[in-house]
Amino acid sequence: MGKPARRRLQPEARKLEIIEAAERLMAVEGSRVRVEDVVREAGVAKGTFFLYFPTWDDLLETVRQRLVSEFDTTHPLPTEAEGPIDWPGLVESQAAAFIDFKLARQGFGDAVFHSEFAERRPLADHGILRLSAVIRAGQEAQAFGPIDPDATARLLFAVIHEAADAVAEGADRAAIVAALNSLLRRTLAP
């Protein structure tokens, strides 16, 4: 009995098949996943992998961008057109969303945010830039005090990230989020 016939797919569908195979593996194995694992999971030849991703880093870059886009899509920032914005509440809800998102995707974090790949191809400070934009908008609405939005966003992102790490290590989520919310409100208070 031979191998089953390979399905014919359009190039974008084949590429997506490889990406999704990598994501399934990284969710469990994190940074231990290799090209060989992905091609086996996707049921493609190694040459097919390199046709779509000239380097392993190119695949990791794609996976990382999909994660960032997923967060942005799942947790969009509101606009004033939708009604008045509770700026402190928005920062708190975005911080909690980041914690939960990070916890649900720990293997990905190891592979694409905290690995040699991340050192070779650093992510533009997307989370920091997003938080900085929220702080600026909150300042314009007079909901936040006169702080440097960029420096404050950098420090607050580090605190939010550490909160997620603490919860991942077993700290009580409710206690960590309560302490984080208190810190966020005091830091941003008018």
Side-chain angles (χ1 to χ4, degrees):
M1 212 150 98
K3 290 183 177 181
R6 184 77 179 127
R7 298 174 296 135
R8 284 236 176 264
L9 293 176
Q10 292 296 317
E12 281 306 307
R14 179 70 68 211
K15 182 177 181 179
L16 183 60
E17 189 175 63
I18 294 168
I19 294 165
E20 290 174 344
E23 290 174 342
R24 282 191 302 276
L25 292 169
M26 285 179 203
V28 176
E29 298 294 325
S31 61
R32 293 186 299 275
V33 176
R34 298 289 174 250
V35 171
E36 294 76 16
D37 305 319
V38 174
V39 297
R40 189 177 322 105
E41 177 75 12
V44 300
K46 207 172 195 178
T48 302
F49 175 92
F50 288 111
L51 176 67
Y52 295 104
F53 302 99
T55 69
W56 177 247
D57 283 3
D58 293 326
L59 172 68
L60 295 177
E61 184 77 42
T62 300
V63 169
R64 181 171 64 188
Q65 188 53 50
R66 282 173 50 102
L67 284 171
V68 169
S69 294
E70 180 186 350
F71 183 87
D72 289 348
T73 301
T74 307
H75 306 285
L77 297 175
T79 65
E80 292 287 344
E82 298 167 10
I85 297 172
D86 171 11
W87 291 100
L90 174 62
V91 172
E92 290 174 4
S93 68
Q94 291 284 304
F98 175 82
I99 291 169
D100 295 337
F101 193 82
K102 185 177 184 303
L103 291 174
R105 292 155 186 83
Q106 285 186 19
F108 290 107
D110 293 344
V112 299
F113 296 110
H114 304 290
S115 64
E116 291 178 14
F117 157 73
E119 292 175 19
R120 287 189 303 275
R121 291 195 188 177
L123 176 67
D125 296 326
H126 180 76
I128 295 167
L129 294 173
R130 182 178 166 119
L131 185 54
S132 180
V134 169
I135 293 170
R136 276 191 179 79
Q139 285 176 321
E140 288 174 17
Q142 300 180 346
F144 298 147
I147 53 174
D148 179 329
D150 298 325
T152 303
R154 180 169 296 285
L155 293 173
L156 288 180
F157 187 79
V159 170
I160 294 165
H161 197 284
E162 179 57 32
D165 289 345
V167 174
E169 292 169 6
D172 179 76
R173 182 188 183 286
I176 291 292
V177 169
L180 176 61
N181 288 345
S182 176
L183 179 84
L184 292 170
R185 285 194 183 258
R186 282 184 286 143
T187 301
L188 299 171

